Amino acid sequence: MATGFASIQRNTVNKTPGYKTLFERVNASTKGDKKSLAWYRSAVKQEASRYKKNFKKYLLDERGDRGGFAQEQDSNELRKHTVQGHLYMFEYKAKMKYLPYYDRFPLVYVIKSNKTEFWGANLHYLSPKKRLIATKKLMGGRIDIPKKCFHKYLHGHVDGLYLDLASSEWDTAILLPTADFVRDLNGMIFPIEQTTVWEETDDNFYDKIIAHRSVKGYGTKQSKEISK
């Protein structure tokens, strides 16, 4: 059974000295060898465990987190909750009643969140080139993403914690091969090719949500409007 970021909760370690990003460490650990998609997902989870030094402290309600926007956007953090304007990786098991397929390891830019659910754009639904363009626009303060990418997620269906990605990691994170698209037919799991998903997104690529990006902090009522 997948443990997702739940495994990180039980195996936290201290950060190492010096600066090497999460995804630089993942890429370095390949030693130049070709790795499977499952290997990349496992490596990301293992490296993500570096981002909390004290798990007991982590368990405190995140309303007490007063780090501020600069700190929240410039460092990777493990989170219990999602907030608007952040990019997260997590493991997910969807309700399949109306879904032809879903991503078990989504990369979601959140646009709205409450105690039970959140809404956001899973950038894995875009081909790498278009994903990069959409991410650059997000970093510039503008949401410009096909509606096909937007989904509602239930907190209760997330396995473990959310990895809140530092803004400096976004351009690398979006290109890492961690997507895991599957179809669930009465408990039988069938993989779905990423190219199939990208083609379906492209069919309605210009049916988009376009808006200003709004970023919220943890533990405060503040929000930060980013201009174009």
Side-chain angles (χ1 to χ4, degrees), residues 40 67 109 122:
Y40 275 100
Y109 175 81
N122 184 354

Side-chain angles (χ1 to χ4, degrees), residues 44 76 81 107 119 124 163 187 211 220:
V44 168
N76 296 306
H81 310 289
L107 175 67
W119 295 259
H124 285 161
L163 175 60
T220 72

Side-chain angles (χ1 to χ4, degrees), residues 128-188:
K129 183 177 180 179
K130 291 178 178 177
R131 199 180 304 162
L132 182 60
I133 293 171
T135 302
K136 285 183 177 179
K137 290 182 179 179
L138 284 174
M139 296 300 293
R142 188 163 179 79
I143 298 170
D144 186 354
I145 301 174
K147 291 180 181 178
K148 177 73 174 178
C149 300
F150 287 85
H151 303 274
K152 180 176 76 174
Y153 296 88
L154 302 175
H155 290 300
H157 285 246
V158 174
D159 190 353
L161 301 175
Y162 301 90
L163 175 60
D164 187 348
L165 293 168
S167 57
S168 60
E169 298 269 37
W170 286 21
D171 59 348
T172 309
I174 61 172
L175 299 178
L176 205 67
T178 56
D180 189 14
F181 289 104
V182 297
R183 177 178 287 119
D184 186 339
L185 296 178
N186 299 318
M188 297 183 66

Side-chain angles (χ1 to χ4, degrees), residues 84-114:
Q84 181 177 343
H86 293 238
L87 183 66
Y88 299 91
M89 273 186 171
F90 52 94
E91 281 204 277
Y92 194 74
K93 184 174 182 179
K95 287 186 175 180
M96 290 300 299
K97 187 174 181 180
Y98 302 109
L99 294 176
Y101 53 80
Y102 74 99
D103 184 5
R104 296 193 295 188
F105 204 95
L107 175 67
V108 176
Y109 175 81
V110 173
I111 61 170
K112 184 179 179 182
S113 182
N114 62 34

Side-chain angles (χ1 to χ4, degrees), residues 70-86:
Q71 290 87 343
E72 288 164 6
Q73 290 292 290
D74 293 336
S75 63
N76 296 306
E77 296 286 348
L78 293 176
R79 303 288 192 185
K80 290 168 61 181
H81 310 289
T82 59
V83 296
Q84 181 177 343
H86 293 238

Side-chain angles (χ1 to χ4, degrees), residues 197-211:
V197 177
W198 300 340
E199 288 170 1
E200 290 191 5
T201 300
D202 284 347
D203 287 342
N204 297 284
F205 182 77
Y206 294 103
D207 184 15
K208 295 182 175 183
I209 290 178
I210 298 176

